[in-house]
Amino acid sequence: MEANTRGTGRLPAAFLTPGSSSFLDFLAEHKPELIPGRGGLPEGSVVEAPHGTTIVAAVFDGGVVIAGDRRATMGNVIAQRDIEKVFPADEYSAVGIAGTAGLAVEMVRLFQLELEHYEKIEGTTLSLEGKANRLTSMIRGNLGMAMQGLAVVPIFAGYDLDLGRGRIFNYDVTGGRSEERGFAATGSGSVFARGSMKKLYREDLTAEQAVTLVVQALYDAADDDSATGGPDLARKIFPIVSLITEDGFRRLTDAEVAETAVAITDERLTRPNGPQAPLI
Amino acid sequence: MSTPFYVSPQQAMADRAEYARKGIARGRSVVVLTYADGIVFVAENTSRALHKVSEIYDKIAFAAVGRYNEFENLRIGGVRYADLRGYSYDRADVTARGLANVYAQTLGTVFSSVGEKPYEVELIVAEVGRTADNDQIYRLTPDGSVVDEKNYVVVGGNADSIGNYLGQRHRVGMSLTEAVKVAVDSLARDPNGGSPRALTPEQLEVAVLDRQRFQQRKFKRILGNQLGRLLDGDQSAEADDEDDPAATPPSDE
């Protein structure tokens, strides 16, 4: 009867402990080495890794659009031409990431799991505010790496089912969160993208107009920021554009984005600086 | 010094098994059966929030009867196990067999240990495959045994009589409407031969693992109007995805 109960394959205590519905909390207790950015770096080390650049988002009537360019740079080298920077977080939200690509993709994967985990354990989804707050915790956890050049800075966009509209949250490197009204941009090309959207944005945009807006913004960002890639007609590489409405997350196909990108490129042949807003 | 009473191992194990079985028999049954597009779970449950059937992972679902706090604790442990494994390796590497093995070890270790009360739960872990031939349904008993069931399984009170009834009527390749109807009829039967009870949608908890679902996560609860229409034999109710706000699109990673 004295069965040896040591190491017999039972679920470890961390699995059966009542309490948090957060996968992050569970990882921190059970396997902290799996949390991205927890390893830290030796003092004074400099790591060269691919960095993603520009993410833009805009609210339109009925939802929100979020888009990212496709270039990753490592110093002055183009590390990748077709990187993906916009991911669905769950059915009604998405994350676009600027910063260290490897850490960022891993963090998004963990964030997706965090939301799914909560939903499976609790049987209900987090509110949009709740999702945004969880992302804050994750970015703050990466602060040590950020101070050594491996920052991750996202934009979180989602459709708030309770309020019936799209919302955008911008983050800084410490996880500080601010909700943006109308449009937002992050990454090295964000200054130019925001300037572009500032002149083109209006509140009554349709979904199609919002898509055109974000592609225009990425084009302008690519025009002035060497780390941002514009539409690449030769290789048929186009920005990633995703819509989030009350029907959920939908990523536009390459053909759909190509149509918008080609129209914009054609127009730029006659007006290289893009649409001109009235002075007054 | 007095000699302690001797209890044979067989008697001790039989006592513990009987104890666990009594706890399980008090509960209402859960029926799990395969149909053309996947696996359907039907349970008698009037609570809207305390579920007997739950999602574990993309293609894996969990059903249980017995003491609620015990199987709820195991369910959460299973979700953590699956999510950790999917995160460390890949989503495709999370299998029902792996989870059933973990549960078997946990249940069996507790059952064999003198110092702990055995779990008063009986579990089902099911995984929907790419085709019907790949569907897996595992039943776990309190002593840690695992049975790989084919086509259908019943756990809970009156499991034997419900299982017999189900065995006579289950057919491979049934539609969802047929499957739900057979399951509800079997739950409604009076094991003592009296007239069957009428079970309403409010008394039922129904969920499916539907391999035809385009989302990566195949689990879906059938609620409210859709369940009512299924019970009325409305074939078109099978395709209704409108009252499933928790559905998640495929990952773009």
Side-chain angles (χ1 to χ4, degrees), chain B residues 141-217:
Chain B
T141 56
D143 61 350
S145 302
V146 187
V147 184
D148 185 358
E149 303 277 2
K150 295 301 178 190
N151 297 324
Y152 68 90
V153 63
V154 187
V155 290
N158 306 320
D160 288 341
S161 66
I162 295 174
N164 287 336
Y165 178 90
L166 207 52
Q168 297 163 16
R169 285 160 182 79
H170 181 272
R171 176 174 56 77
V172 173
M174 289 190 296
S175 71
L176 178 58
T177 309
E178 290 167 337
V180 170
K181 181 163 173 46
V182 165
V184 172
D185 287 350
S186 61
L187 284 173
R189 285 185 71 255
D190 182 351
N192 298 319
S195 60
R197 297 173 292 142
L199 292 175
T200 65
E202 288 74 34
Q203 293 169 276
L204 294 168
E205 181 184 351
V206 180
V208 293
L209 284 171
D210 182 354
R211 79 179 112 257
Q212 299 298 338
R213 205 160 192 257
F214 85 95
Q215 286 96 342
Q216 180 166 355
R217 291 162 66 184

Side-chain angles (χ1 to χ4, degrees), chain A residues 89 95 107-115 131 138 156:
Chain A
V95 182
M107 191 177 290
V108 169
R109 198 165 148 253
L110 185 51
F111 183 57
Q112 289 168 333
L113 184 52
E114 174 84 355
L115 300 187
K131 297 169 191 171
M138 297 184 63
F156 178 68

Side-chain angles (χ1 to χ4, degrees), chain B residues 23-172:
Chain B
I24 293 163
R26 279 195 296 263
R28 304 287 196 176
S29 299
V30 175
V31 174
V32 178
L33 63 162
T34 60
Y35 70 104
D37 288 333
I39 300 172
V40 60
F41 303 75
V42 182
E44 191 176 343
N45 187 6
T46 53
S47 169
R48 306 296 293 171
L50 303 180
H51 297 297
K52 290 181 175 175
V53 182
S54 298
E55 177 185 15
I56 296 286
Y57 209 65
D58 296 347
K59 298 174 178 166
I60 303 174
F62 168 98
V65 290
R67 187 182 279 256
Y68 178 80
N69 77 297
E70 288 177 1
F71 71 69
E72 177 70 358
N73 193 233
L74 287 170
R75 176 186 77 86
I76 290 173
V79 171
R80 287 171 174 161
Y81 165 87
D83 281 357
L84 178 61
R85 195 174 177 87
Y87 179 68
S88 301
Y89 297 107
D90 186 68
R91 297 188 80 92
D93 297 313
V94 181
T95 64
R97 192 201 61 79
L99 182 60
N101 194 36
V102 166
Y103 281 147
Q105 295 296 334
T106 300
L107 292 171
T109 301
V110 171
F111 188 83
S112 303
S113 166
V114 220
E116 296 175 75
K117 177 188 82 65
Y119 279 99
E120 294 169 73
V121 299
E122 196 165 358
L123 312 177
I124 296 172
V125 177
E127 178 179 7
V128 72
R130 212 176 298 271
T131 65
D133 293 339
N134 301 120
D135 290 346
Q136 295 167 55
I137 305 176
Y138 298 102
R139 178 168 64 92
L140 293 101
T141 56
D143 61 350
S145 302
V146 187
V147 184
D148 185 358
E149 303 277 2
K150 295 301 178 190
N151 297 324
Y152 68 90
V153 63
V154 187
V155 290
N158 306 320
D160 288 341
S161 66
I162 295 174
N164 287 336
Y165 178 90
L166 207 52
Q168 297 163 16
R169 285 160 182 79
H170 181 272
R171 176 174 56 77
V172 173

Side-chain angles (χ1 to χ4, degrees), chain A residues 188-261:
Chain A
S188 67
S190 64
V191 173
F192 312 107
R194 201 177 299 123
S196 177
M197 288 192 289
K198 184 181 287 184
K199 297 305 178 189
L200 296 176
Y201 182 78
R202 65 212 73 174
E203 285 185 0
D204 57 353
L205 291 172
T206 65
E208 292 72 30
Q209 289 171 331
V211 169
T212 303
L213 172 76
V214 294
V215 178
Q216 290 275 20
L218 289 173
Y219 192 108
D220 286 329
D223 205 26
D224 287 308
D225 176 41
S226 61
T228 302
D232 189 339
L233 271 58
R235 296 185 180 83
K236 298 195 182 2
I237 298 173
F238 300 102
I240 295 173
V241 182
S242 301
L243 295 167
I244 311 168
T245 63
E246 67 176 351
D247 297 326
F249 174 95
R250 185 174 82 84
R251 175 177 164 170
L252 270 60
T253 64
D254 274 354
E256 288 170 301
V257 183
E259 188 178 342
T260 302

